[in-house]
Amino acid sequence: MTFAEVLLPVPITGTFTYSVPDGMADAIHVGQRVIVPFGRKKFYTGIVSSINPIKPEGYDVKEIALCLDTVPIVRHPQLKFWNWMADYYLCTPGEVMRAAVPAGLKIESETFITPNPDYEEDADDRLTVRELTVMEFILGCDKKQTLDAIGKKTGFSNIGVIVNSLLDKGAVVISENLVERYRSRKETYVRFSFGKGDSEKIHSAFSAVRSGSMQEKALIALIELSGYMRQGLDVPTEVTRHELIEKAGVTTTVVASMAKKGIIDIYHKEVNRFSFSGLVNGELPKLTDIQNTTLDAIHKSWLEKDITLLHGVTSSGKTEIYIHLIDYVLRNGRQALYLVPEIALTTQLTRRLQKVFGDKVVIYHSKFSDNERVDIWKKLLNTSEPLVIVGARSSVFLPFASLGLVIVDEEHETAYKQQDPAPRYNARDAAIVVASMHGAKTLLGSATPSIETYYKALTGRFCLIELSERYEGMRLPEMKVVDMADARKKGEVCGTFSQVTQRLVNSALQRGEQSILFINRRGYAPVARCKLCGYVPKCDNCDVSLTYHRHSDKLICHYCGTPYSVPEICPACKEPGIEVLGYGTERVEEEIDMLFPNESIARMDLDTTRSKDSYENIIESFSKGKSNILIGTQMVTKGLDFDRVSVVGVVNADSVINFPDFRASERAFNMIEQVAGRAGRKNGNGTVAIQTYNPSHPIIGYLLNHDYKGYYEHEIAERQTYNYPPFVRIIYIYLKHKDQTAVSNIAFEFALRLRKLLGNRVNGPDEPHVARVQSLYIRRIMLKIENNASISKVKKLLNDIRVEMTNSKILSGAILYYDVDPM
């Protein structure tokens, strides 16, 4: 008897042992998907992680129900990488698997509800009104219904409680169906039913169709498209039915009739959803002398170390250098991973890469459907051909066959950090590990590197290469600080814009140039308030004020998404005094529309980019000059390249500077310097207006001079004084509970036990900036761990405390999780 260790996508440590049926023994291999029973009635898709002949002691072993694959769908380095990620980020390998494998490859068990045909209502235990409503709906359906479907149809939020009650009364029964999410894409092809070069059959085919008929047109078109009569072509080219119909101008009925006569065969074939049909010139971008010197320096640096930081100012031509490096790797028969922080960046970048590398470019990110992601996964799994994969953070999980290079563009970006759910990983750091496991080189690129990365480069962990000039000698944009307090006193502010900013935007428009306005708040106004009593509407589920959205005329919680109607009467003082205060992207758009009524305006924030193609449409419209003013949140700060932008306005710099977090100043400097870098990229006359009520803040001085190194020296001294990264590693321990007193007591007890073992490395517990989200109260404990400490020992220590507190019922009702290296 053979036994398999199976990894399941559940938040439970370790793997689970299943017996392999005798008839399946030769078919089971490490990396394959199997369907296994789990719990009383559930079935999950698992990955076989190892096989051994030793039967476990002490419990009955369940049997593998089904093997889904003939070949593994994950490679050995992936399983090794998943285990590393689980150890480092203090989660389980199952949680990593759940994040890594596309949902389309995970067949899951789904609960279906059906009426019990033998049920008779008991006079002593009658159904409630809600239970009757649910029963009427189920009885009126032709097929089984899921919990979600019943809840949506009946409108009951507590549908699980109602169905459980019906189960107890015997009114319904449940069943489990396996649901496969992936649907392959199939293309219909046509071919001659006889081999190439059979002139007799060709004559017979023409005889079978009437001269001048639609079938004859189709026959001639198929000969042409397939190259059937072409000399030197041994095997005819495959022709899709769509191509034939388009070429011949016929219908599917005509093609079907030809098949009935035996002239052609119609067959179906699974195809990949992605193909590049644009123009490929194959020409590498020409490099300037300084770019060539930098490229040579990168190659030489990899002889010393595997990781290099390219610190290049905005618009210095880093992308052109990346393309040359990718070309070098592809010519050596290996693959390249090009990580970008936002989906928005893939639009411009992909076009540039496809012009050089054509269909060797593969794109992967979360806006793709399950089917599309599975197709990309399978493409990489089934080939070791040279490819460049462009993607956001989830692309580190792909099954690379021969990875030779990893590029992490804008490596400082917080978007590389996964916040929820686990694993809460940083894709930049994960990519470095993936590269090392494949023997690949890593290049980190940024105009404003993270403090930790720059520190590692200066202390010799990474190689450091500087690119301090803009492409073709263009100068960096001129920075202007607008003191908003002083401007308001002088009456030089209209709404949220100073006269300085208005004049700059107006001048750019008159020159036929474009402007970008950056404000790090979406919605219309961040606060609604009663002007009479000061009452501020808050979310019922979260400790945050609601944001007003003009397009929906709703107050919306940006943490749980709950919408609320705007109260006509203040609930506190019963007077009609509710007003909205502050500015978000919607309100800025409205003001700009009033200031420049004849100009086309685009807005890029979470509300306008929810659909798959919305990023591309906004960016393409702005690139082509269909809109001349782009308003956006931090999405507009990230590496976008527009030729005609000469003015950038930072509408409210204080909102990104004044945040209660040790990384606040770093985020503010990076964000403002990056958005400033969108100006003057081609004509060299860019201007940036920074509107602030605190012009004396230290960061402002460094921004005025584009002085990253000066800012770094200031910030690293602060970090060393107060013992923050890169001098220590930070781990946040989060505890959540629906009861405020309970979570405070649990957090205090957890911190007390930690202090007995770790002393002053433990800080807190305290309340985070938002102390309640989705009706759960939150407490946070901070650990400051030495860089040379073993993370696996820390993990064991934390797990021991968790087990002790769970066994003693102290953690009852609480949610506990960790965030390693928080951003």
Side-chain angles (χ1 to χ4, degrees):
M1 177 67 78
T2 306
F3 298 90
E5 291 299 317
V6 178
L7 179 62
L8 297 178
V10 293
I12 303 173
T13 302
T15 56
F16 300 87
T17 307
Y18 289 87
S19 63
V20 180
D22 292 336
M24 206 183 286
D26 294 334
I28 294 287
H29 302 284
V30 172
Q32 286 178 325
R33 292 177 302 156
V34 289
I35 298 289
V36 293
F38 188 76
R40 290 179 61 194
K41 293 186 177 181
K42 290 285 185 182
F43 284 85
Y44 279 99
T45 302
I47 303 287
V48 177
S49 63
S50 67
I51 298 170
N52 64 76
I54 303 169
K55 183 178 180 179
E57 299 287 337
Y59 63 91
D60 292 330
V61 180
K62 294 180 180 179
E63 199 173 71
I64 292 173
L66 182 67
C67 180
L68 293 173
D69 307 301
T70 55
V71 295
I73 63 111
V74 297
R75 302 179 188 275
H76 171 70
Q78 287 176 281
L79 293 172
K80 184 180 174 185
F81 173 58
W82 293 359
N83 286 323
W84 170 85
M85 183 172 279
D87 283 339
Y88 187 84
Y89 289 104
L90 303 181
C91 60
T92 68
E95 289 173 308
V96 179
M97 175 197 164
R98 188 172 57 196
V101 179
L105 288 175
K106 296 194 287 279
I107 296 176
E108 294 181 353
S109 177
E110 194 167 331
T111 302
F112 288 86
I113 317 298
T114 53
N116 182 355
D118 300 324
Y119 171 68
E120 292 182 5
E121 190 170 7
D122 189 336
D124 297 326
D125 194 10
R126 292 190 175 279
L127 301 183
T128 65
V129 173
R130 289 193 164 205
E131 289 169 351
L132 282 168
T133 304
V134 171
M135 285 300 296
E136 286 174 6
F137 169 68
I138 296 173
L139 288 165
C141 296
D142 296 331
K143 57 183 180 179
K144 302 173 183 178
Q145 295 295 317
T146 65
L147 278 175
D148 284 346
I150 297 170
K152 286 176 183 176
K153 290 293 184 182
T154 59
F156 298 150
S157 58
N158 60 337
I159 191 63
V161 176
I162 298 170
V163 169
N164 274 334
S165 177
L166 288 169
L167 276 169
D168 291 339
K169 294 174 180 178
V172 296
V173 292
I174 63 173
S175 60
E176 299 291 326
N177 279 21
L178 290 173
V179 179
E180 184 170 14
R181 299 175 184 276
Y182 175 63
R183 293 291 181 272
S184 61
R185 179 180 171 184
K186 289 185 170 62
E187 186 75 75
T188 303
Y189 286 81
V190 294
R191 64 189 170 203
F192 285 112
S193 57
F194 40 84
K196 190 175 186 298
D198 193 333
S199 56
E200 187 177 329
K201 290 286 186 181
I202 280 286
H203 285 301
S204 298
F206 275 103
S207 300
V209 299
R210 186 164 47 84
S211 177
S213 68
M214 300 303 286
Q215 290 185 24
E216 186 184 55
K217 286 184 179 180
L219 186 59
I220 295 168
L222 183 57
I223 291 171
E224 185 179 339
L225 288 169
S226 66
Y228 185 84
M229 306 297 289
R230 198 178 307 151
Q231 295 295 322
L233 185 66
D234 295 331
V235 180
T237 303
E238 284 193 299
V239 178
T240 67
R241 184 173 62 184
H242 177 74
E243 287 176 318
L244 179 61
I245 288 170
E246 287 285 306
K247 176 77 173 175
V250 298
T251 63
T252 54
T253 306
V254 172
V255 177
S257 298
M258 293 171 69
K260 281 183 180 179
K261 291 179 179 179
I263 299 171
I264 62 172
D265 292 330
I266 299 175
Y267 63 103
H268 304 284
K269 185 176 168 183
E270 188 174 325
V271 296
N272 196 284
R273 286 175 166 80
F274 303 96
S275 60
F276 176 65
S277 56
L279 295 174
V280 181
N281 57 33
E283 293 181 9
L284 294 172
K286 292 182 180 178
L287 301 184
T288 62
D289 290 343
I290 190 169
Q291 285 176 317
N292 270 314
T293 302
T294 303
L295 180 63
D296 290 341
I298 292 170
H299 281 295
K300 288 176 183 175
S301 73
W302 283 333
L303 298 174
E304 298 177 30
K305 292 182 173 66
D306 290 334
I307 306 165
T308 297
L309 169 64
L310 174 58
H311 177 207
V313 298
T314 55
S315 193
S316 56
K318 294 187 290 294
T319 305
E320 285 80 6
I321 294 172
Y322 298 159
I323 291 172
H324 277 260
L325 291 169
I326 291 166
D327 177 67
Y328 174 80
V329 170
L330 297 186
R331 281 190 286 107
N332 280 279
R334 302 191 72 183
Q335 297 168 340
L337 171 62
Y338 192 147
L339 276 182
V340 292
E342 287 277 4
I343 296 167
L345 297 186
T346 61
T347 302
Q348 286 188 327
L349 181 61
T350 302
R351 287 177 182 166
R352 293 176 71 176
L353 293 172
Q354 284 177 332
K355 285 180 181 177
V356 180
F357 303 115
D359 58 8
K360 290 181 180 178
V361 179
V362 176
I363 309 110
Y364 189 84
H365 55 61
S366 61
K367 288 287 184 181
F368 285 159
S369 67
D370 284 343
N371 290 338
E372 289 170 325
R373 277 182 278 181
V374 171
D375 276 349
I376 295 169
W377 187 283
K378 286 186 171 182
K379 178 181 175 71
L380 288 171
L381 192 67
N382 296 327
T383 183
S384 58
E385 66 179 282
L387 296 169
V388 52
I389 298 92
V390 183
R393 60 176 179 252
S394 59
S395 49
V396 297
F397 295 116
L398 287 167
F400 305 104
S402 57
L403 193 62
L405 171 64
V406 173
I407 296 170
V408 185
D409 196 17
E410 311 295 352
E411 66 81 29
H412 65 277
E413 274 290 349
T414 57
Y416 282 126
K417 174 72 172 177
Q418 162 78 7
Q419 300 298 338
D420 275 308
R424 296 171 178 84
Y425 66 99
N426 189 315
R428 174 199 62 204
D429 301 334
I432 291 172
V433 173
V434 168
S436 69
M437 288 180 176
H438 285 268
K441 305 297 184 183
T442 302
L443 181 66
L444 310 175
S446 177
T448 55
S450 70
I451 297 297
E452 287 96 322
T453 299
Y454 202 66
Y455 176 79
K456 288 174 183 176
L458 290 180
T459 54
R461 289 270 303 279
F462 303 160
C463 283
L464 174 63
I465 293 171
E466 307 272 1
L467 185 57
S468 55
E469 290 183 17
R470 274 190 153 189
Y471 185 69
E472 293 185 339
M474 295 293 176
R475 59 185 174 86
L476 289 164
E478 178 189 0
M479 309 289 274
K480 293 178 180 285
V481 175
V482 181
D483 184 341
M484 292 297 285
D486 185 58
R488 286 198 182 278
K489 286 179 185 176
K490 295 177 179 178
E492 296 176 350
V493 177
C494 176
T496 191
F497 291 103
S498 67
Q499 289 182 3
V500 172
T501 307
Q502 290 178 52
R503 282 198 297 269
L504 287 171
V505 173
N506 189 51
S507 298
L509 292 172
Q510 290 179 351
R511 295 192 302 269
E513 294 169 347
Q514 295 172 306
S515 301
I516 293 176
L517 298 172
F518 164 60
I519 179 166
N520 203 33
R521 274 193 180 276
R522 65 186 177 98
Y524 185 82
V527 178
R529 187 184 70 182
C530 177
K531 59 187 175 186
L532 300 175
C533 72
Y535 165 80
V536 176
K538 289 192 172 184
C539 178
D540 294 338
N541 308 310
C542 312
D543 279 342
V544 289
S545 57
L546 301 170
T547 300
Y548 178 64
H549 286 248
R550 171 63 67 87
H551 76 280
S552 61
D553 193 29
K554 294 283 186 183
L555 294 169
I556 296 176
C557 174
H558 282 182
Y559 280 80
C560 69
T562 304
Y564 298 83
S565 298
V566 181
E568 295 181 3
I569 303 296
C570 172
C573 67
K574 311 302 180 188
E575 293 291 334
I578 298 292
E579 62 179 354
V580 291
L581 303 170
Y583 287 82
T585 48
E586 279 186 47
R587 194 167 191 176
V588 169
E589 182 183 26
E590 183 180 272
E591 280 204 1
I592 287 294
D593 190 44
M594 289 190 291
L595 290 169
F596 305 101
N598 298 321
E599 297 297 334
S600 177
I601 302 163
R603 174 163 61 91
M604 190 158 72
D605 56 25
L606 186 62
D607 299 311
T608 62
T609 56
R610 294 187 188 277
S611 66
K612 180 179 174 181
D613 299 322
S614 51
Y615 285 104
E616 186 171 353
N617 294 338
I618 293 169
I619 291 169
E620 184 176 5
S621 173
F622 194 66
S623 296
K624 291 182 176 179
K626 294 178 182 177
S627 52
N628 288 319
I629 302 173
L630 176 63
I631 299 158
T633 55
Q634 55 185 307
M635 291 179 184
V636 301
T637 71
K638 299 176 181 179
L640 296 172
D641 187 12
F642 300 115
D643 292 353
R644 294 173 47 235
V645 172
S646 62
V647 171
V648 167
V650 180
V651 176
N652 183 5
D654 305 311
S655 67
V656 290
I657 293 173
N658 300 323
F659 195 81
D661 183 81
F662 77 92
R663 294 190 193 275
S665 66
E666 179 183 2
R667 276 197 297 266
F669 181 89
N670 292 350
M671 213 175 282
I672 296 172
E673 181 67 16
Q674 287 286 340
V675 75
R678 302 315 106 205
R681 295 175 71 87
K682 290 296 185 284
N683 53 27
N685 63 344
T687 308
V688 180
I690 304 173
Q691 297 188 168
T692 175
Y693 285 89
N694 187 12
S696 61
H697 195 287
I699 290 177
I700 301 297
Y702 297 119
L703 285 167
L704 282 174
N705 298 307
H706 300 285
D707 184 9
Y708 172 81
K709 291 181 180 178
Y711 165 71
Y712 169 81
E713 294 297 337
H714 164 83
E715 182 65 17
I716 202 72
E718 293 266 311
R719 299 276 184 97
Q720 189 164 24
T721 300
Y722 297 106
N723 201 30
Y724 277 106
F727 302 102
V728 293
R729 176 180 296 149
I730 285 183
I731 300 172
Y732 281 146
I733 303 167
Y734 283 96
L735 289 148
K736 295 183 178 182
H737 200 286
K738 61 184 178 182
D739 182 86
Q740 186 173 10
T741 304
V743 76
S744 295
N745 293 337
I746 294 168
F748 179 80
E749 178 63 23
F750 202 104
L752 185 66
R753 295 186 184 213
L754 272 175
R755 278 196 184 88
K756 289 178 181 178
L757 300 167
L758 297 176
N760 60 7
R761 298 180 185 86
V762 183
N763 296 267
D766 58 19
E767 295 185 6
H769 177 60
V770 178
R772 185 170 64 104
V773 174
Q774 295 182 344
S775 299
L776 293 174
Y777 292 91
I778 309 168
R779 295 295 180 269
R780 183 178 66 189
I781 301 166
M782 178 195 287
L783 294 186
K784 291 183 177 180
I785 305 296
E786 293 84 352
N787 288 325
N788 59 358
S790 167
I791 199 76
S792 60
K793 289 182 180 178
V794 174
K795 183 176 183 178
K796 183 180 184 308
L797 183 150
L798 290 170
N799 191 57
D800 289 346
I801 294 175
R802 179 186 66 84
V803 170
E804 287 173 11
M805 292 180 65
T806 300
N807 290 337
S808 58
K809 308 298 184 185
I810 298 173
L811 279 176
S812 179
I815 298 170
L816 168 68
Y817 64 88
Y818 311 103
D819 188 3
V820 181
D821 301 336
M823 297 292 284

